[in-house]
Amino acid sequence: RLKLSGPELLCQLKRKVEVLSLTSDLHPFSMLPWASQLPAQQLTSELGPLKSCAVVSSAGSLRHSGLGKEIDSHDAVMRFNAAPTSGFEKDVGSKTTMRLINSQVMASEEYRFLSSSLYSSGVLVAWDPAPFSSDLTQWLNRTDYPIFAQYQRYRRLHPQQPFFILHPRFEWQVWQQVQENMAESIQKNPPSSGFLGTVLMMSLCEVVHVYEFLPSKRKTELCHYYQHFYDAACTLGAYHPLLYEKNLVKRMNQGADRDIYTHGRVTLPGFNAINC
Ligand code: NCC
């Protein structure tokens, strides 16, 4: 198999992946009584275009990074799951434009999805590990976590907050790109929120800076910057094909290697900014 260069990889990703979200007119959702709670428009037509964006991984290596000011200087900032800013501003900033959450966070009691103020700023985007077929009826009847029941409850509590759900086709298109560019077979689980969010932002922004997805000199087994829990699998992956995602991001990086080492910072062009 031919190993693609960085620019070739970027063009392939741009060509083969489309950010798709569920809309109220999409079958079979359109037939459900709560269909009108779904957005009428696609995420990509509601948000963006944006200039400079930051994607903030939740990695433990953000601790003592002092990156907060730099992160907040971007036009839009994406965060993940239950990652807080309060108390960690110096290292991760305080701006949250978008929060990408997995369905486990929406459904498990411990994350207090319906009651915590953590989720109420910015735009919410959720995803659930759907069957590889991306068949919507099959998924609807057998989600990994009860994403739709929780979505309806949250929408009733916060009707004004924009809240999108990613179409499973998007997660598997991204997975396919990871697989196509690796020599070996990777696990058939969807990519991590971090990588899904990075590709999503590449579709909305002119330039995307990803922080501590590729670990810096601060690399640690501390799983999250906000929790005292140690597990190297958080950085290397177990369920998600995280190591392979990171390999791709490393190849697509347009910033200096030194920036990874010192700042844990990768620079990726937005899809609209590349000529293929
Ligand atoms: O850990 P998580 O992700 O919330 O982290 C968000 C994204 O940051 C990148 N990351 C994180 C930690 C680390 N040491 N290195 C990293 O590179 C990854 O790209 C990651 O996606 C998820 O992808 O949704 C994940 O969610 C957690 C968990 O569900 C939520 O944090 C809520 O607690 C998963 N952990 C477990 O199921 C135990 C995790 O596997 C992936």
Side-chain angles (χ1 to χ4, degrees), residues 56-60 80-82 102 104-105 111 127 191-195 212-213 220 222-224 226 231 234-235 239-240 242 245-246:
V56 187
S57 89
S58 303
F80 300 98
N81 296 320
N102 66 41
Q104 181 186 17
V105 170
Y111 302 112
W127 71 278
S192 73
S193 298
F195 192 52
E212 293 289 1
F213 185 65
T220 165
L222 179 67
C223 182
H224 296 129
Y226 54 88
D231 186 353
C234 293
T235 303
Y239 172 80
H240 299 291
L242 195 55
E245 300 168 14
K246 295 190 182 203

PDB file of all heavy atoms in Angstrom, residues 56-60 80-82 102 104-105 111 127 191-195 212-213 220 222-224 226 231 234-235 239-240 242 245-246, ligand 1:
ATOM      1  N   VAL A  56      -9.113  21.313  22.158  1.00  0.00           N
ATOM      2  CA  VAL A  56      -8.405  21.058  23.406  1.00  0.00           C
ATOM      3  C   VAL A  56      -8.664  19.626  23.862  1.00  0.00           C
ATOM      4  O   VAL A  56      -9.753  19.299  24.342  1.00  0.00           O
ATOM      5  CB  VAL A  56      -8.864  22.044  24.511  1.00  0.00           C
ATOM      6  CG1 VAL A  56      -8.007  21.878  25.761  1.00  0.00           C
ATOM      7  CG2 VAL A  56      -8.808  23.482  24.011  1.00  0.00           C
ATOM      8  N   SER A  57      -7.690  18.749  23.687  1.00  0.00           N
ATOM      9  CA  SER A  57      -7.842  17.375  24.166  1.00  0.00           C
ATOM     10  C   SER A  57      -7.960  17.449  25.686  1.00  0.00           C
ATOM     11  O   SER A  57      -7.717  18.494  26.277  1.00  0.00           O
ATOM     12  CB  SER A  57      -6.636  16.525  23.786  1.00  0.00           C
ATOM     13  OG  SER A  57      -5.647  16.600  24.794  1.00  0.00           O
ATOM     14  N   SER A  58      -8.330  16.363  26.303  1.00  0.00           N
ATOM     15  CA  SER A  58      -8.484  16.394  27.760  1.00  0.00           C
ATOM     16  C   SER A  58      -7.268  15.807  28.470  1.00  0.00           C
ATOM     17  O   SER A  58      -7.318  15.506  29.656  1.00  0.00           O
ATOM     18  CB  SER A  58      -9.741  15.624  28.151  1.00  0.00           C
ATOM     19  OG  SER A  58     -10.867  16.161  27.496  1.00  0.00           O
ATOM     20  N   ALA A  59      -6.182  15.645  27.741  1.00  0.00           N
ATOM     21  CA  ALA A  59      -5.015  14.925  28.248  1.00  0.00           C
ATOM     22  C   ALA A  59      -4.410  15.527  29.515  1.00  0.00           C
ATOM     23  O   ALA A  59      -4.380  16.745  29.698  1.00  0.00           O
ATOM     24  CB  ALA A  59      -3.948  14.856  27.163  1.00  0.00           C
ATOM     25  N   GLY A  60      -3.901  14.655  30.360  1.00  0.00           N
ATOM     26  CA  GLY A  60      -3.244  15.049  31.608  1.00  0.00           C
ATOM     27  C   GLY A  60      -2.062  15.974  31.359  1.00  0.00           C
ATOM     28  O   GLY A  60      -1.716  16.797  32.215  1.00  0.00           O
ATOM     29  N   PHE A  80     -14.153  18.638  25.160  1.00  0.00           N
ATOM     30  CA  PHE A  80     -14.745  17.310  25.088  1.00  0.00           C
ATOM     31  C   PHE A  80     -15.364  16.823  26.400  1.00  0.00           C
ATOM     32  O   PHE A  80     -14.826  17.059  27.485  1.00  0.00           O
ATOM     33  CB  PHE A  80     -13.702  16.289  24.637  1.00  0.00           C
ATOM     34  CG  PHE A  80     -13.149  16.610  23.278  1.00  0.00           C
ATOM     35  CD1 PHE A  80     -11.939  17.265  23.154  1.00  0.00           C
ATOM     36  CD2 PHE A  80     -13.863  16.298  22.139  1.00  0.00           C
ATOM     37  CE1 PHE A  80     -11.440  17.588  21.897  1.00  0.00           C
ATOM     38  CE2 PHE A  80     -13.377  16.614  20.883  1.00  0.00           C
ATOM     39  CZ  PHE A  80     -12.164  17.259  20.763  1.00  0.00           C
ATOM     40  N   ASN A  81     -16.457  16.145  26.245  1.00  0.00           N
ATOM     41  CA  ASN A  81     -17.073  15.424  27.357  1.00  0.00           C
ATOM     42  C   ASN A  81     -17.189  16.277  28.612  1.00  0.00           C
ATOM     43  O   ASN A  81     -17.680  17.390  28.540  1.00  0.00           O
ATOM     44  CB  ASN A  81     -16.312  14.106  27.586  1.00  0.00           C
ATOM     45  CG  ASN A  81     -16.456  13.195  26.370  1.00  0.00           C
ATOM     46  OD1 ASN A  81     -17.534  13.111  25.785  1.00  0.00           O
ATOM     47  ND2 ASN A  81     -15.390  12.538  25.969  1.00  0.00           N
ATOM     48  N   ALA A  82     -16.726  15.775  29.737  1.00  0.00           N
ATOM     49  CA  ALA A  82     -16.926  16.490  30.997  1.00  0.00           C
ATOM     50  C   ALA A  82     -15.742  17.383  31.364  1.00  0.00           C
ATOM     51  O   ALA A  82     -15.591  17.779  32.520  1.00  0.00           O
ATOM     52  CB  ALA A  82     -17.210  15.490  32.116  1.00  0.00           C
ATOM     53  N   ASN A 102     -19.712  12.288  24.133  1.00  0.00           N
ATOM     54  CA  ASN A 102     -20.154  10.950  23.734  1.00  0.00           C
ATOM     55  C   ASN A 102     -21.418  10.597  24.520  1.00  0.00           C
ATOM     56  O   ASN A 102     -21.758  11.242  25.516  1.00  0.00           O
ATOM     57  CB  ASN A 102     -19.029   9.923  23.904  1.00  0.00           C
ATOM     58  CG  ASN A 102     -18.629   9.707  25.351  1.00  0.00           C
ATOM     59  OD1 ASN A 102     -19.479   9.640  26.233  1.00  0.00           O
ATOM     60  ND2 ASN A 102     -17.336   9.577  25.602  1.00  0.00           N
ATOM     61  N   GLN A 104     -22.102   8.207  26.416  1.00  0.00           N
ATOM     62  CA  GLN A 104     -21.884   7.725  27.783  1.00  0.00           C
ATOM     63  C   GLN A 104     -21.977   8.893  28.770  1.00  0.00           C
ATOM     64  O   GLN A 104     -22.558   8.763  29.847  1.00  0.00           O
ATOM     65  CB  GLN A 104     -20.493   7.068  27.863  1.00  0.00           C
ATOM     66  CG  GLN A 104     -20.152   6.515  29.228  1.00  0.00           C
ATOM     67  CD  GLN A 104     -18.716   5.996  29.305  1.00  0.00           C
ATOM     68  OE1 GLN A 104     -17.871   6.320  28.471  1.00  0.00           O
ATOM     69  NE2 GLN A 104     -18.449   5.173  30.293  1.00  0.00           N
ATOM     70  N   VAL A 105     -21.415  10.010  28.366  1.00  0.00           N
ATOM     71  CA  VAL A 105     -21.462  11.197  29.218  1.00  0.00           C
ATOM     72  C   VAL A 105     -22.904  11.691  29.389  1.00  0.00           C
ATOM     73  O   VAL A 105     -23.312  12.143  30.461  1.00  0.00           O
ATOM     74  CB  VAL A 105     -20.560  12.309  28.633  1.00  0.00           C
ATOM     75  CG1 VAL A 105     -20.762  13.631  29.329  1.00  0.00           C
ATOM     76  CG2 VAL A 105     -19.106  11.882  28.714  1.00  0.00           C
ATOM     77  N   TYR A 111     -21.913  11.883  35.363  1.00  0.00           N
ATOM     78  CA  TYR A 111     -21.552  13.102  34.644  1.00  0.00           C
ATOM     79  C   TYR A 111     -22.588  14.213  34.777  1.00  0.00           C
ATOM     80  O   TYR A 111     -22.390  15.307  34.277  1.00  0.00           O
ATOM     81  CB  TYR A 111     -21.280  12.789  33.170  1.00  0.00           C
ATOM     82  CG  TYR A 111     -20.191  11.772  33.010  1.00  0.00           C
ATOM     83  CD1 TYR A 111     -20.465  10.500  32.519  1.00  0.00           C
ATOM     84  CD2 TYR A 111     -18.902  12.065  33.434  1.00  0.00           C
ATOM     85  CE1 TYR A 111     -19.459   9.544  32.419  1.00  0.00           C
ATOM     86  CE2 TYR A 111     -17.892  11.126  33.344  1.00  0.00           C
ATOM     87  CZ  TYR A 111     -18.180   9.863  32.838  1.00  0.00           C
ATOM     88  OH  TYR A 111     -17.197   8.928  32.756  1.00  0.00           O
ATOM     89  N   TRP A 127     -22.453  12.323  20.012  1.00  0.00           N
ATOM     90  CA  TRP A 127     -22.340  11.161  19.119  1.00  0.00           C
ATOM     91  C   TRP A 127     -22.464   9.895  19.939  1.00  0.00           C
ATOM     92  O   TRP A 127     -22.242   9.894  21.144  1.00  0.00           O
ATOM     93  CB  TRP A 127     -21.039  11.204  18.320  1.00  0.00           C
ATOM     94  CG  TRP A 127     -19.793  10.944  19.126  1.00  0.00           C
ATOM     95  CD1 TRP A 127     -19.100  11.840  19.895  1.00  0.00           C
ATOM     96  CD2 TRP A 127     -19.106   9.688  19.253  1.00  0.00           C
ATOM     97  NE1 TRP A 127     -18.017  11.231  20.488  1.00  0.00           N
ATOM     98  CE2 TRP A 127     -18.000   9.905  20.102  1.00  0.00           C
ATOM     99  CE3 TRP A 127     -19.317   8.404  18.712  1.00  0.00           C
ATOM    100  CZ2 TRP A 127     -17.099   8.892  20.431  1.00  0.00           C
ATOM    101  CZ3 TRP A 127     -18.418   7.391  19.048  1.00  0.00           C
ATOM    102  CH2 TRP A 127     -17.317   7.652  19.899  1.00  0.00           C
ATOM    103  N   PRO A 191     -13.682   6.304  15.952  1.00  0.00           N
ATOM    104  CA  PRO A 191     -12.572   7.136  16.422  1.00  0.00           C
ATOM    105  C   PRO A 191     -12.934   7.855  17.722  1.00  0.00           C
ATOM    106  O   PRO A 191     -14.114   7.998  18.054  1.00  0.00           O
ATOM    107  CB  PRO A 191     -12.398   8.145  15.289  1.00  0.00           C
ATOM    108  CG  PRO A 191     -13.010   7.515  14.094  1.00  0.00           C
ATOM    109  CD  PRO A 191     -14.129   6.680  14.609  1.00  0.00           C
ATOM    110  N   SER A 192     -11.925   8.321  18.418  1.00  0.00           N
ATOM    111  CA  SER A 192     -12.145   9.028  19.687  1.00  0.00           C
ATOM    112  C   SER A 192     -12.833  10.362  19.428  1.00  0.00           C
ATOM    113  O   SER A 192     -12.767  10.913  18.320  1.00  0.00           O
ATOM    114  CB  SER A 192     -10.810   9.262  20.389  1.00  0.00           C
ATOM    115  OG  SER A 192     -10.063  10.272  19.723  1.00  0.00           O
ATOM    116  N   SER A 193     -13.472  10.885  20.450  1.00  0.00           N
ATOM    117  CA  SER A 193     -14.085  12.214  20.345  1.00  0.00           C
ATOM    118  C   SER A 193     -13.064  13.238  19.870  1.00  0.00           C
ATOM    119  O   SER A 193     -13.382  14.135  19.080  1.00  0.00           O
ATOM    120  CB  SER A 193     -14.650  12.648  21.706  1.00  0.00           C
ATOM    121  OG  SER A 193     -15.657  11.770  22.124  1.00  0.00           O
ATOM    122  N   GLY A 194     -11.834  13.109  20.367  1.00  0.00           N
ATOM    123  CA  GLY A 194     -10.794  14.062  20.011  1.00  0.00           C
ATOM    124  C   GLY A 194     -10.552  14.136  18.513  1.00  0.00           C
ATOM    125  O   GLY A 194     -10.426  15.219  17.936  1.00  0.00           O
ATOM    126  N   PHE A 195     -10.498  12.975  17.865  1.00  0.00           N
ATOM    127  CA  PHE A 195     -10.229  12.979  16.427  1.00  0.00           C
ATOM    128  C   PHE A 195     -11.478  13.369  15.638  1.00  0.00           C
ATOM    129  O   PHE A 195     -11.393  14.099  14.651  1.00  0.00           O
ATOM    130  CB  PHE A 195      -9.679  11.626  15.977  1.00  0.00           C
ATOM    131  CG  PHE A 195      -9.120  11.667  14.584  1.00  0.00           C
ATOM    132  CD1 PHE A 195      -8.179  12.623  14.207  1.00  0.00           C
ATOM    133  CD2 PHE A 195      -9.536  10.758  13.621  1.00  0.00           C
ATOM    134  CE1 PHE A 195      -7.673  12.669  12.912  1.00  0.00           C
ATOM    135  CE2 PHE A 195      -9.031  10.800  12.321  1.00  0.00           C
ATOM    136  CZ  PHE A 195      -8.092  11.743  11.966  1.00  0.00           C
ATOM    137  N   GLU A 212      -2.288  19.067  22.828  1.00  0.00           N
ATOM    138  CA  GLU A 212      -1.999  17.843  23.598  1.00  0.00           C
ATOM    139  C   GLU A 212      -2.780  16.628  23.123  1.00  0.00           C
ATOM    140  O   GLU A 212      -3.157  15.769  23.915  1.00  0.00           O
ATOM    141  CB  GLU A 212      -2.200  18.076  25.106  1.00  0.00           C
ATOM    142  CG  GLU A 212      -1.189  19.039  25.727  1.00  0.00           C
ATOM    143  CD  GLU A 212       0.234  18.494  25.857  1.00  0.00           C
ATOM    144  OE1 GLU A 212       0.474  17.335  25.448  1.00  0.00           O
ATOM    145  OE2 GLU A 212       1.111  19.241  26.344  1.00  0.00           O
ATOM    146  N   PHE A 213      -3.013  16.565  21.820  1.00  0.00           N
ATOM    147  CA  PHE A 213      -3.487  15.314  21.231  1.00  0.00           C
ATOM    148  C   PHE A 213      -2.238  14.485  20.937  1.00  0.00           C
ATOM    149  O   PHE A 213      -2.163  13.305  21.245  1.00  0.00           O
ATOM    150  CB  PHE A 213      -4.306  15.596  19.965  1.00  0.00           C
ATOM    151  CG  PHE A 213      -4.928  14.370  19.347  1.00  0.00           C
ATOM    152  CD1 PHE A 213      -5.904  13.651  20.025  1.00  0.00           C
ATOM    153  CD2 PHE A 213      -4.548  13.927  18.087  1.00  0.00           C
ATOM    154  CE1 PHE A 213      -6.481  12.506  19.459  1.00  0.00           C
ATOM    155  CE2 PHE A 213      -5.122  12.795  17.515  1.00  0.00           C
ATOM    156  CZ  PHE A 213      -6.080  12.090  18.208  1.00  0.00           C
ATOM    157  N   THR A 220       2.347  12.329  30.219  1.00  0.00           N
ATOM    158  CA  THR A 220       2.173  11.717  31.531  1.00  0.00           C
ATOM    159  C   THR A 220       1.137  10.612  31.443  1.00  0.00           C
ATOM    160  O   THR A 220       0.349  10.573  30.486  1.00  0.00           O
ATOM    161  CB  THR A 220       1.692  12.787  32.537  1.00  0.00           C
ATOM    162  OG1 THR A 220       1.195  12.143  33.721  1.00  0.00           O
ATOM    163  CG2 THR A 220       0.545  13.635  31.967  1.00  0.00           C
ATOM    164  N   LEU A 222      -1.123  10.436  33.608  1.00  0.00           N
ATOM    165  CA  LEU A 222      -2.336  11.068  34.138  1.00  0.00           C
ATOM    166  C   LEU A 222      -3.328  11.133  32.980  1.00  0.00           C
ATOM    167  O   LEU A 222      -3.048  11.692  31.934  1.00  0.00           O
ATOM    168  CB  LEU A 222      -2.008  12.472  34.652  1.00  0.00           C
ATOM    169  CG  LEU A 222      -3.183  13.291  35.213  1.00  0.00           C
ATOM    170  CD1 LEU A 222      -3.721  12.651  36.501  1.00  0.00           C
ATOM    171  CD2 LEU A 222      -2.755  14.734  35.500  1.00  0.00           C
ATOM    172  N   CYS A 223      -4.496  10.551  33.186  1.00  0.00           N
ATOM    173  CA  CYS A 223      -5.449  10.410  32.085  1.00  0.00           C
ATOM    174  C   CYS A 223      -5.974  11.767  31.635  1.00  0.00           C
ATOM    175  O   CYS A 223      -5.846  12.134  30.473  1.00  0.00           O
ATOM    176  CB  CYS A 223      -6.591   9.499  32.530  1.00  0.00           C
ATOM    177  SG  CYS A 223      -7.818   9.185  31.247  1.00  0.00           S
ATOM    178  N   HIS A 224      -6.598  12.514  32.541  1.00  0.00           N
ATOM    179  CA  HIS A 224      -7.195  13.817  32.230  1.00  0.00           C
ATOM    180  C   HIS A 224      -6.559  14.915  33.073  1.00  0.00           C
ATOM    181  O   HIS A 224      -6.186  14.670  34.210  1.00  0.00           O
ATOM    182  CB  HIS A 224      -8.705  13.795  32.535  1.00  0.00           C
ATOM    183  CG  HIS A 224      -9.466  12.830  31.677  1.00  0.00           C
ATOM    184  ND1 HIS A 224     -10.331  11.904  32.198  1.00  0.00           N
ATOM    185  CD2 HIS A 224      -9.491  12.664  30.331  1.00  0.00           C
ATOM    186  CE1 HIS A 224     -10.863  11.201  31.207  1.00  0.00           C
ATOM    187  NE2 HIS A 224     -10.374  11.636  30.061  1.00  0.00           N
ATOM    188  N   TYR A 226      -8.031  17.098  34.562  1.00  0.00           N
ATOM    189  CA  TYR A 226      -8.953  17.491  35.628  1.00  0.00           C
ATOM    190  C   TYR A 226      -9.249  16.385  36.641  1.00  0.00           C
ATOM    191  O   TYR A 226     -10.162  16.512  37.446  1.00  0.00           O
ATOM    192  CB  TYR A 226     -10.273  17.985  35.016  1.00  0.00           C
ATOM    193  CG  TYR A 226     -10.929  17.009  34.045  1.00  0.00           C
ATOM    194  CD1 TYR A 226     -11.810  16.034  34.493  1.00  0.00           C
ATOM    195  CD2 TYR A 226     -10.643  17.062  32.673  1.00  0.00           C
ATOM    196  CE1 TYR A 226     -12.404  15.136  33.608  1.00  0.00           C
ATOM    197  CE2 TYR A 226     -11.237  16.176  31.786  1.00  0.00           C
ATOM    198  CZ  TYR A 226     -12.110  15.218  32.258  1.00  0.00           C
ATOM    199  OH  TYR A 226     -12.683  14.340  31.383  1.00  0.00           O
ATOM    200  N   ASP A 231      -3.735   6.180  33.731  1.00  0.00           N
ATOM    201  CA  ASP A 231      -3.854   5.039  32.832  1.00  0.00           C
ATOM    202  C   ASP A 231      -3.275   5.440  31.475  1.00  0.00           C
ATOM    203  O   ASP A 231      -3.793   6.344  30.814  1.00  0.00           O
ATOM    204  CB  ASP A 231      -5.339   4.649  32.678  1.00  0.00           C
ATOM    205  CG  ASP A 231      -5.508   3.375  31.858  1.00  0.00           C
ATOM    206  OD1 ASP A 231      -4.504   2.871  31.302  1.00  0.00           O
ATOM    207  OD2 ASP A 231      -6.651   2.902  31.772  1.00  0.00           O
ATOM    208  N   CYS A 234      -5.319   5.976  28.156  1.00  0.00           N
ATOM    209  CA  CYS A 234      -6.016   7.223  27.810  1.00  0.00           C
ATOM    210  C   CYS A 234      -5.296   7.929  26.673  1.00  0.00           C
ATOM    211  O   CYS A 234      -5.918   8.548  25.820  1.00  0.00           O
ATOM    212  CB  CYS A 234      -6.077   8.149  29.016  1.00  0.00           C
ATOM    213  SG  CYS A 234      -7.106   7.502  30.334  1.00  0.00           S
ATOM    214  N   THR A 235      -3.984   7.854  26.672  1.00  0.00           N
ATOM    215  CA  THR A 235      -3.181   8.534  25.662  1.00  0.00           C
ATOM    216  C   THR A 235      -2.939   7.630  24.447  1.00  0.00           C
ATOM    217  O   THR A 235      -2.861   8.107  23.324  1.00  0.00           O
ATOM    218  CB  THR A 235      -1.827   8.964  26.274  1.00  0.00           C
ATOM    219  OG1 THR A 235      -2.115   9.799  27.413  1.00  0.00           O
ATOM    220  CG2 THR A 235      -0.983   9.756  25.289  1.00  0.00           C
ATOM    221  N   TYR A 239     -10.109   1.076  23.487  1.00  0.00           N
ATOM    222  CA  TYR A 239     -11.338   0.959  22.695  1.00  0.00           C
ATOM    223  C   TYR A 239     -11.216   1.720  21.367  1.00  0.00           C
ATOM    224  O   TYR A 239     -11.508   1.195  20.303  1.00  0.00           O
ATOM    225  CB  TYR A 239     -12.509   1.487  23.536  1.00  0.00           C
ATOM    226  CG  TYR A 239     -13.819   1.601  22.790  1.00  0.00           C
ATOM    227  CD1 TYR A 239     -14.617   0.479  22.584  1.00  0.00           C
ATOM    228  CD2 TYR A 239     -14.265   2.831  22.310  1.00  0.00           C
ATOM    229  CE1 TYR A 239     -15.831   0.587  21.891  1.00  0.00           C
ATOM    230  CE2 TYR A 239     -15.473   2.947  21.634  1.00  0.00           C
ATOM    231  CZ  TYR A 239     -16.248   1.823  21.428  1.00  0.00           C
ATOM    232  OH  TYR A 239     -17.435   1.933  20.753  1.00  0.00           O
ATOM    233  N   HIS A 240     -10.791   2.941  21.436  1.00  0.00           N
ATOM    234  CA  HIS A 240     -10.639   3.756  20.227  1.00  0.00           C
ATOM    235  C   HIS A 240      -9.299   3.464  19.540  1.00  0.00           C
ATOM    236  O   HIS A 240      -8.317   3.188  20.211  1.00  0.00           O
ATOM    237  CB  HIS A 240     -10.673   5.251  20.566  1.00  0.00           C
ATOM    238  CG  HIS A 240     -11.948   5.698  21.204  1.00  0.00           C
ATOM    239  ND1 HIS A 240     -13.142   5.739  20.517  1.00  0.00           N
ATOM    240  CD2 HIS A 240     -12.222   6.118  22.455  1.00  0.00           C
ATOM    241  CE1 HIS A 240     -14.090   6.169  21.327  1.00  0.00           C
ATOM    242  NE2 HIS A 240     -13.569   6.409  22.514  1.00  0.00           N
ATOM    243  N   LEU A 242      -6.868   5.059  18.873  1.00  0.00           N
ATOM    244  CA  LEU A 242      -6.256   6.355  19.180  1.00  0.00           C
ATOM    245  C   LEU A 242      -4.829   6.505  18.656  1.00  0.00           C
ATOM    246  O   LEU A 242      -4.451   7.551  18.134  1.00  0.00           O
ATOM    247  CB  LEU A 242      -6.313   6.566  20.700  1.00  0.00           C
ATOM    248  CG  LEU A 242      -6.067   7.949  21.258  1.00  0.00           C
ATOM    249  CD1 LEU A 242      -6.994   8.981  20.632  1.00  0.00           C
ATOM    250  CD2 LEU A 242      -6.271   7.943  22.780  1.00  0.00           C
ATOM    251  N   GLU A 245      -4.998   7.212  15.024  1.00  0.00           N
ATOM    252  CA  GLU A 245      -5.477   8.587  14.796  1.00  0.00           C
ATOM    253  C   GLU A 245      -4.306   9.553  14.961  1.00  0.00           C
ATOM    254  O   GLU A 245      -4.124  10.489  14.178  1.00  0.00           O
ATOM    255  CB  GLU A 245      -6.570   8.956  15.818  1.00  0.00           C
ATOM    256  CG  GLU A 245      -7.798   8.068  15.794  1.00  0.00           C
ATOM    257  CD  GLU A 245      -8.703   8.297  17.007  1.00  0.00           C
ATOM    258  OE1 GLU A 245      -8.527   9.312  17.716  1.00  0.00           O
ATOM    259  OE2 GLU A 245      -9.587   7.452  17.244  1.00  0.00           O
ATOM    260  N   LYS A 246      -3.526   9.312  15.996  1.00  0.00           N
ATOM    261  CA  LYS A 246      -2.407  10.213  16.304  1.00  0.00           C
ATOM    262  C   LYS A 246      -1.335  10.138  15.226  1.00  0.00           C
ATOM    263  O   LYS A 246      -0.724  11.151  14.875  1.00  0.00           O
ATOM    264  CB  LYS A 246      -1.837   9.891  17.683  1.00  0.00           C
ATOM    265  CG  LYS A 246      -2.873  10.190  18.768  1.00  0.00           C
ATOM    266  CD  LYS A 246      -2.351  10.134  20.182  1.00  0.00           C
ATOM    267  CE  LYS A 246      -3.531  10.405  21.115  1.00  0.00           C
ATOM    268  NZ  LYS A 246      -3.141  10.902  22.425  1.00  0.00           N
TER     269      LYS A 246
HETATM  270  O1  NCC B   1     -11.189  10.781  27.774  1.00  0.00           O
HETATM  271  P1  NCC B   1     -11.963  11.657  26.879  1.00  0.00           P
HETATM  272  O2  NCC B   1     -12.461  10.787  25.604  1.00  0.00           O
HETATM  273  O3  NCC B   1     -13.079  12.446  27.424  1.00  0.00           O
HETATM  274  O4  NCC B   1     -10.937  12.677  26.190  1.00  0.00           O
HETATM  275  C1  NCC B   1     -11.294  13.528  25.105  1.00  0.00           C
HETATM  276  C2  NCC B   1     -10.326  13.322  23.960  1.00  0.00           C
HETATM  277  O5  NCC B   1      -9.027  13.783  24.324  1.00  0.00           O
HETATM  278  C3  NCC B   1      -8.016  12.930  23.787  1.00  0.00           C
HETATM  279  N1  NCC B   1      -7.177  12.435  24.902  1.00  0.00           N
HETATM  280  C4  NCC B   1      -7.670  12.316  26.156  1.00  0.00           C
HETATM  281  C5  NCC B   1      -6.858  11.886  27.197  1.00  0.00           C
HETATM  282  C6  NCC B   1      -5.527  11.610  26.926  1.00  0.00           C
HETATM  283  N2  NCC B   1      -4.676  11.240  27.918  1.00  0.00           N
HETATM  284  N3  NCC B   1      -5.046  11.721  25.676  1.00  0.00           N
HETATM  285  C7  NCC B   1      -5.852  12.134  24.667  1.00  0.00           C
HETATM  286  O6  NCC B   1      -5.376  12.240  23.522  1.00  0.00           O
HETATM  287  C8  NCC B   1      -8.742  11.830  23.017  1.00  0.00           C
HETATM  288  O7  NCC B   1      -8.787  12.163  21.659  1.00  0.00           O
HETATM  289  C9  NCC B   1     -10.139  11.867  23.598  1.00  0.00           C
HETATM  290  O8  NCC B   1     -11.118  11.467  22.657  1.00  0.00           O
HETATM  291  C10 NCC B   1     -14.002   9.883  24.117  1.00  0.00           C
HETATM  292  O9  NCC B   1     -13.285   9.786  23.107  1.00  0.00           O
HETATM  293  O10 NCC B   1     -15.195  10.209  24.089  1.00  0.00           O
HETATM  294  C11 NCC B   1     -13.319   9.644  25.493  1.00  0.00           C
HETATM  295  O11 NCC B   1     -14.303   9.587  26.525  1.00  0.00           O
HETATM  296  C12 NCC B   1     -13.999   8.894  27.737  1.00  0.00           C
HETATM  297  C13 NCC B   1     -15.189   9.006  28.702  1.00  0.00           C
HETATM  298  O12 NCC B   1     -16.357   8.408  28.140  1.00  0.00           O
HETATM  299  C14 NCC B   1     -15.476  10.500  28.979  1.00  0.00           C
HETATM  300  O13 NCC B   1     -14.300  11.182  29.330  1.00  0.00           O
HETATM  301  C15 NCC B   1     -16.363  10.654  30.164  1.00  0.00           C
HETATM  302  O14 NCC B   1     -15.669  10.306  31.311  1.00  0.00           O
HETATM  303  C16 NCC B   1     -13.591   7.464  27.470  1.00  0.00           C
HETATM  304  N4  NCC B   1     -13.237   6.793  28.709  1.00  0.00           N
HETATM  305  C17 NCC B   1     -13.878   5.736  29.195  1.00  0.00           C
HETATM  306  O15 NCC B   1     -14.826   5.201  28.647  1.00  0.00           O
HETATM  307  C18 NCC B   1     -13.354   5.206  30.490  1.00  0.00           C
HETATM  308  C19 NCC B   1     -12.353   7.503  26.594  1.00  0.00           C
HETATM  309  O16 NCC B   1     -11.961   6.200  26.255  1.00  0.00           O
HETATM  310  C20 NCC B   1     -12.517   8.337  25.356  1.00  0.00           C
END
